[in-house]
Amino acid sequence: PTRRPPGSRQRGPLNSISDTPRMTIGAALCIPSAPLRTIAYTNCIAGRTTRAAATSRSNVRTCRSYPRLTERPRQRTPAVRGANERATAALANQPSLEQRIENGLSKEFGEGAMTRVMDSLRATSAGRELDATWPGLGRQLASSYIEGLSATPWHDPHQEGYEWAVKLEDKWEVVRDELAANLADNPKVQPEAKSTEWSSAVRGDALAYGPEWRTLVLQDRGRWDEAHTKLFPKTTKLLKDFNVPSSEIFFASQTAHTGIKPHTDNTNFVLTGHLGLMIPEGECWIKVGDEKRYWEEGKSMIMDTSFIHSTANETDTSRYVLIFRFWHPELSQDEINALLYIFECLDLPDGVTESAWMKEAAKNLKRRVKKSARKASGGGGGFGGR
C-alpha cells in the first residue's frame, strides 16, 4: 500500500474523528489520565500550546538550578535593573524551542546520526501529519511520527521479543486478585465511589473517552508512582521482575454501557498493550483499524493506537484491564535515547539560556539512561529501554 503524503487529509466515512481533539504535549503534561502523556509533542514544539503546570505527583518536577528571571527584584538599584535588562536581552536572542532541540540532538548524538528523529521533529514543527489508509487494515493518523516503522494495527504478543507479555499472561491471576482485593476492601480504589486514586479523562480527551473511562497509574514516563505501587506491591514486583519495557502502566476501568469514540493516540513510535483482568461476558470489545477484537481474561493484546480505534462495553458490569505502553520494537536504542532527550527538553523551564538548557537536558538524559540500564540488568523495565 502507498502512504499518503504527510499533511494530506482523508475525507472518509470516519467523520467523528474530526470532532475528537488530538493529543498534545501541553495537555499531556498536565492530565494524569491522558494516554501517551509525553509522546505527542506536536503543539508544544509548534508553539500553539504552552506547557501547563503538572497536577499529579508523578509529573511535578522542579528545576532549582535556574534563577527565576521574571521575579521582581527586591531592590531596584541601577545595577539590578541593568542586570535584569541584560538577562532579558540575552534570552530574547535565544533560538526557538525547535532549534534548541535540534542543536542539542546534534551535540549529543552527532550530525546526521538521528535522521529519522530529526525528520520527525521538523515534520511536527511544520504541522505535517502522517495520514495513511492501509487497505484491509484501516486508517493511521499521527501528528508525531517516525517514518519507516511497520504499520499494522495488531501485533502478536506471542512472537519473539514479547516474552514479557507471555510471562504476564502466566501470572495474570496475581494481578487480577490484587486489583479485586483493592476494589473490595479499599475505598480509595473504588471508581464507582469517585475515588481520588482513579483519574478520568478531562478537557479535550473527555470528548473521545467520556467521563466513565478511568485510570489508576502505576508508572508514568518511566517513573513509578510511589503511592499506587504500595497499593499493588505484587503487581509492581511482577512488572519489574519481568522487565516490562514500559513508558506507562495503568489499570483502566470502563463501566457498563459506555464506550470510547473513534480517535487516534497520534503517535506511531509507541505501542499499547492490554492484559484482560475482569472482562464481562458479552459485547465488550476494542476495534483498532478495521478489526474488532474481544478482551479475554488472562490474554494480552498489543496494538498500534496511531490507527483509529474505539471501544465499547455493552454489558451490565465494569471491565478492567492493565494497560502498558512501550517503544516500537523497530526503533534503535539511539533513536529511543534521542526521543527521550526531546522529552527531557520539553520538561525544562523556558527562561534560561540555550547553553544552560542543553546542559541540563543532557544531564537528565544521562541520569535516566543510566538508571534504565541498571534496572534492565537487574529487572524493572523502564522508559529508557525497549
Side-chain angles (χ1 to χ4, degrees), residues 17 37 40 56 72 93 137 162 248 270 295 328 366 368:
I17 193 66
R37 293 168 188 76
S56 70
R72 182 184 297 275
N93 295 325
L137 298 178
Y162 294 132
E248 294 180 72
V270 171
W295 287 289
H328 196 294
K366 290 176 182 177
R368 182 192 287 273

Side-chain angles (χ1 to χ4, degrees), residues 17 44 61 83 113 143 194 224-225 231 262 267 296 323 345 368:
I17 193 66
C44 183
R61 297 185 62 193
S143 53
K194 297 183 178 181
W224 295 98
D225 185 295
L231 293 173
T267 305
E296 297 181 51
I323 297 180
C345 290
R368 182 192 287 273

Side-chain angles (χ1 to χ4, degrees), residues 164-186:
W164 50 269
V166 177
K167 292 178 181 178
L168 278 177
E169 286 186 342
D170 291 341
K171 295 293 186 179
W172 77 276
E173 290 175 321
V174 174
V175 183
R176 189 270 318 271
D177 292 347
E178 192 167 49
L179 175 62
N182 271 286
L183 291 172
D185 303 330
N186 190 344

Side-chain angles (χ1 to χ4, degrees), residues 301-320:
M301 295 177 173
I302 294 178
M303 60 213 82
D304 182 342
T305 50
S306 65
F307 280 82
I308 304 300
H309 57 286
S310 57
T311 73
N313 177 10
E314 301 173 25
T315 73
D316 295 330
T317 56
S318 294
R319 178 234 64 185
Y320 291 92

Side-chain angles (χ1 to χ4, degrees), residues 46-334:
R48 292 190 291 270
T49 302
T50 58
R51 295 193 300 276
T55 57
S56 70
R57 287 184 301 271
S58 58
N59 281 341
V60 174
R61 297 185 62 193
T62 302
C63 186
R64 298 187 183 277
S65 60
Y66 298 127
R68 298 179 62 186
L69 296 177
T70 57
E71 286 186 344
R72 182 184 297 275
R74 293 183 179 181
Q75 295 180 345
R76 299 184 59 81
T77 64
V80 171
R81 286 199 300 270
N84 285 344
E85 290 169 0
R86 288 191 296 273
T88 301
L91 291 174
N93 295 325
Q94 293 300 308
S96 66
L97 175 61
E98 177 201 356
Q99 190 59 56
R100 285 189 182 199
I101 294 175
E102 282 202 32
N103 293 344
L105 287 172
S106 297
K107 181 178 180 180
E108 291 299 316
F109 301 97
E111 288 287 347
M114 293 292 106
T115 302
R116 293 202 300 183
V117 176
M118 285 285 201
D119 289 345
S120 172
L121 180 65
R122 290 163 182 162
T124 298
S125 179
R128 296 196 299 270
E129 292 182 326
L130 167 63
D131 190 348
T133 298
W134 303 93
L137 298 178
R139 182 185 176 194
Q140 185 182 30
L141 183 61
S143 53
S144 300
Y145 62 94
I146 298 286
E147 288 281 6
L149 299 180
S150 297
T152 178
W154 294 96
H155 293 245
D156 182 2
H158 298 101
Q159 70 184 21
E160 185 179 357
Y162 294 132
E163 290 79 10
W164 50 269
V166 177
K167 292 178 181 178
L168 278 177
E169 286 186 342
D170 291 341
K171 295 293 186 179
W172 77 276
E173 290 175 321
V174 174
V175 183
R176 189 270 318 271
D177 292 347
E178 192 167 49
L179 175 62
N182 271 286
L183 291 172
D185 303 330
N186 190 344
K188 292 183 178 180
V189 191
Q190 295 173 355
E192 289 79 3
K194 297 183 178 181
S195 162
T196 56
E197 302 302 320
W198 292 80
S199 302
S200 60
V202 295
R203 299 184 184 178
D205 292 305
L207 294 179
Y209 285 81
E212 301 306 321
W213 189 81
R214 293 174 172 268
T215 63
L216 191 152
V217 176
L218 298 180
Q219 185 189 60
D220 178 21
R221 290 184 287 170
R223 300 181 179 95
W224 295 98
D225 185 295
E226 183 177 353
H228 289 169
T229 52
K230 287 180 179 178
L231 293 173
F232 297 92
K234 295 179 182 178
T235 298
T236 302
K237 186 176 187 303
L238 287 178
L239 295 168
K240 292 182 177 181
D241 288 348
F242 297 159
N243 202 22
V244 177
S246 53
S247 59
E248 294 180 72
I249 304 175
F250 52 93
F251 293 103
S253 164
Q254 189 170 350
T255 56
H257 305 291
T258 64
I260 299 176
K261 296 178 181 179
H263 68 289
T264 173
D265 284 343
N266 268 307
T267 305
N268 77 332
F269 48 82
V270 171
L271 300 182
T272 301
H274 288 194
L275 176 65
L277 299 177
M278 300 180 190
I279 312 300
E281 293 185 4
E283 290 294 314
C284 191
W285 51 263
I286 179 170
K287 182 179 181 181
V288 184
D290 291 340
E291 184 179 353
K292 178 195 293 186
R293 296 188 181 182
Y294 290 78
W295 287 289
E296 297 181 51
E297 292 185 351
K299 299 298 181 182
S300 294
M301 295 177 173
I302 294 178
M303 60 213 82
D304 182 342
T305 50
S306 65
F307 280 82
I308 304 300
H309 57 286
S310 57
T311 73
N313 177 10
E314 301 173 25
T315 73
D316 295 330
T317 56
S318 294
R319 178 234 64 185
Y320 291 92
V321 297
L322 183 68
I323 297 180
F324 30 89
R325 292 197 167 97
F326 56 96
W327 299 111
H328 196 294
E330 293 175 11
L331 291 172
S332 70
Q333 188 60 55
D334 283 343

